[in-house]
Amino acid sequence: MGGKKVCIVGSGNWGSAIAKIAGSNAARLSTFENEVKMWVLEEEVGGRRLTDIINTEHENVKYLPGHKLPPNVGVDEGPDGLRLISDIIHEKLGIEMSVLMGANIASEVAEEKFCETTIGCKNRQHGQTLKELMQTPNFRVTVVQEADTVEICGALKNVVAVGAGFCDGLGYGDNTKAAVIRLGLMEMIGFAKLFCKGPVTSSTFLESCGVADLITTCYGGRNRKVAEAFAKTGKSIEQLEKEMLNGQKLQGPPTSAELHRILKTKNAVEKFPLFTAVYQICYEGKPVTDIIRCLQNHPEHM
């Protein structure tokens, strides 16, 4: 007793994967209380409540099937522009916020395949505590102080991944996708420098939260997958989300819409042609081939 309490809010594939790590470490380390609580949006799976299945069988059979959770786990945009989720939680709950982002596909983390991640934490001491809770031999944590930059990477990479998926659906190859990744990274850095309150250094984009997460999201992940199907089938994003994602949500298209509104208010739309092309293809009926025109005419090539 007397250790720090650990709670996981959310139980999708990532919440379940991180619960596996945090639950095991909390049970092992005296720094933390043994019991880890998980908050779950109640659903029925095969006639049984998901919470009952997790508590009795220690497995999230819907979102992370085949992986046992440790037994100690149970169950926007504002008027001034960009608002990070961490800002909103801090405002509502009055607690200090840190963020974890990285090249961390949930199923691979759960399978304990080696990967890196980044924790953005302004408080060095809290950062070390979070590293202790999260790190394992195969889940290696780096702590940086640019928490806003780390979080913005996690949002913007999904927009770039939609662009990568469009290129896949159009039948373009790895050279084209490499251009999407590079130009997307340039726009991510430019956006962060324009909109983050604190300092933004390019070195943060070389951490797992930056270029590594961008690469893995542009080659795997739901945003790329649905965008490829969008380009091939002509079905709407909403229809494909229902058909392909087993109840999960896409992040890339709605984020591109938020970005577009913010960029319009700042008169900066023309500085971010890749972000803009993704938005216009998803929401304004522009042809998917505009993604290639965007690459051809990008200011980086002028």
Side-chain angles (χ1 to χ4, degrees):
M1 295 300 290
K4 292 180 172 62
K5 293 181 179 179
V6 178
C7 173
I8 292 141
V9 180
S11 60
N13 59 354
W14 178 243
S16 299
I18 211 70
K20 191 174 176 184
I21 290 174
S24 297
N25 280 351
R28 182 175 57 85
L29 299 167
S30 59
T31 315
F32 306 100
E33 281 195 5
N34 178 65
E35 184 179 73
V36 174
K37 292 192 183 296
M38 174 188 271
W39 288 61
V40 176
L41 179 65
E42 190 66 274
E43 300 180 69
E44 279 212 357
V45 180
R48 296 175 64 194
R49 295 196 311 171
L50 183 57
T51 50
D52 290 338
I53 296 170
I54 291 173
N55 280 337
T56 57
E57 298 169 25
H58 304 293
E59 181 180 350
N60 189 333
V61 294
K62 180 167 184 181
Y63 295 111
L64 199 68
H67 293 284
K68 291 292 183 183
L69 300 178
N72 58 316
V73 181
V75 243
D76 118 290
E77 177 198 343
D80 298 321
L82 182 70
R83 295 200 70 204
L84 299 173
I85 295 295
S86 61
D87 289 338
I88 295 167
I89 297 172
H90 170 73
E91 180 185 294
K92 299 293 183 187
L93 299 183
I95 57 175
E96 188 174 310
M97 294 298 300
S98 302
V99 296
L100 182 149
M101 301 280 174
N104 306 147
I105 292 173
S107 59
E108 294 182 16
V109 173
E111 289 162 11
E112 299 181 30
K113 293 178 177 175
F114 181 85
C115 66
E116 301 173 313
T117 199
T118 310
I119 290 176
C121 183
K122 296 181 176 80
N123 183 313
R124 288 182 186 274
Q125 185 178 347
H126 289 178
Q128 288 308 306
T129 300
L130 289 168
K131 179 173 181 173
E132 189 179 7
L133 176 64
M134 298 297 181
Q135 181 156 275
T136 74
N138 284 321
F139 192 69
R140 307 308 291 173
V141 175
T142 300
V143 181
V144 300
Q145 289 190 284
E146 289 179 23
D148 288 353
T149 304
V150 172
E151 187 169 357
I152 207 81
C153 283
L156 300 185
K157 59 93 189 276
N158 292 315
V159 180
V160 182
V162 172
F166 289 157
C167 291
D168 288 342
L170 292 168
Y172 287 85
D174 285 339
N175 293 340
T176 307
K177 193 181 288 192
V180 170
I181 291 170
R182 188 188 77 80
L183 294 168
L185 182 62
M186 297 299 293
E187 292 194 14
M188 287 169 62
I189 294 170
F191 188 91
K193 286 183 174 177
L194 273 177
F195 293 96
C196 285
K197 301 182 196 80
V200 174
T201 55
S202 296
S203 61
T204 301
F205 291 87
L206 298 178
E207 298 291 348
S208 185
C209 63
V211 66
D213 197 10
L214 180 60
I215 290 168
T216 199
T217 308
C218 287
Y219 278 90
R222 68 190 84 155
N223 291 280
R224 188 219 63 81
K225 181 180 173 184
V226 172
E228 179 182 29
F230 177 90
K232 285 182 174 178
T233 67
K235 294 180 180 179
S236 71
I237 292 287
E238 294 78 13
Q239 186 177 353
L240 291 167
E241 187 179 62
K242 288 176 187 171
E243 290 178 9
M244 300 174 69
L245 296 186
N246 190 35
Q248 293 179 312
K249 296 295 181 185
L250 275 186
Q251 310 101 320
T255 301
S256 76
E258 290 179 33
L259 291 181
H260 191 68
R261 284 193 293 271
I262 294 165
L263 292 172
K264 276 174 69 177
T265 64
K266 302 287 187 180
N267 294 314
V269 171
E270 71 284 352
K271 294 179 182 175
F272 298 89
L274 180 60
F275 291 168
T276 301
V278 169
Y279 164 74
Q280 291 177 333
I281 292 166
C282 288
Y283 293 105
E284 293 187 349
K286 293 291 179 73
V288 184
T289 50
D290 272 14
I291 200 72
I292 301 302
R293 191 169 296 111
C294 152
L295 301 178
Q296 293 168 336
N297 300 321
H298 201 283
E300 280 281 309
H301 296 143
M302 299 303 184

